Amino acid sequence: MTFRIGHGYDSHRLEAGTGVTLGGVFIECAYRLIAHSDGDALIHALCDALLGAVGGGDIGHLFPDTDPQFAGADSRKLLAEVMQRVRAQGFCVVNADLTLIAQAPRVAEHISAMRAVLAELLDASIAQVNVKATTNEGMDAIGQKQGLAAHAVVLLQQAS
């Protein structure tokens, strides 16, 4: 059996707004993400992890922020495209582990919904997808609620 590991990272600035989308779930809050697409940093990090695992470059190369067709793009659609590429190379997801680093918004009550959305997009069970969140304890730009960041790690297996 062939296994592949990928790691992804993404970050976006925050500004005053009415909500953010993270992990494919809209969260009402006093902020919005500044981004070319919907700014879903969890999905963007996940896309980079998947692309990294199959040697497929990165999300910025595949969906450049200079291309108007991706303005306001739903990151769930970007992830679906990335998964088509993963499957085309003969791989499936063993597990995905994502970490959100954000002072705001608070996401604990949304993690179950995020896991369900991501599991469906990854053709995986909820047990194969983990999402966790932490803060920066008030330190740096993230701690001052000026932005947020996400890391993702995936393990892929050659489909039999």
Side-chain angles (χ1 to χ4, degrees):
M1 276 185 251
T2 300
F3 292 94
R4 300 273 185 91
I5 295 172
H7 173 264
Y9 171 82
D10 193 45
S11 62
H12 286 286
R13 291 178 293 135
L14 290 169
E15 68 180 8
T18 59
V20 301
T21 299
L22 293 167
V25 175
F26 183 76
I27 301 167
E28 289 185 25
C29 65
Y31 300 94
R32 77 172 203 87
L33 292 161
I34 300 171
H36 185 67
S37 68
D38 64 8
D40 189 330
L42 277 172
I43 287 183
H44 296 175
L46 180 56
C47 286
D48 269 353
L50 290 161
L51 290 166
V54 297
D58 62 52
I59 191 172
H61 178 76
L62 196 58
F63 311 111
D65 63 6
T66 55
D67 190 333
Q69 74 174 322
F70 302 118
D74 182 335
S75 292
R76 294 172 299 181
K77 292 181 181 177
L78 305 181
L79 179 54
E81 169 67 26
V82 168
M83 280 304 297
Q84 286 179 355
R85 292 167 181 264
V86 168
R87 285 189 295 275
Q89 291 198 37
F91 287 93
C92 62
V93 174
V94 174
N95 76 303
D97 187 28
L98 293 81
T99 303
L100 176 70
I101 307 152
Q103 206 70 37
R106 296 299 218 183
V107 299
E109 66 187 60
H110 304 283
I111 286 178
S112 292
M114 291 177 192
R115 289 178 68 205
V117 167
L118 296 172
E120 182 177 336
L121 291 165
L122 295 173
D123 294 325
S125 71
I126 290 176
Q128 293 170 280
V129 179
N130 190 52
V131 176
K132 51 198 182 292
T134 190
T135 69
N136 265 3
E137 302 292 333
M139 299 182 298
D140 72 22
I142 291 174
Q144 296 300 310
K145 302 179 185 176
Q146 295 172 12
L148 54 76
H151 289 271
V153 177
V154 297
L155 177 62
L156 304 182
Q157 180 178 11
Q158 188 83 47
S160 45

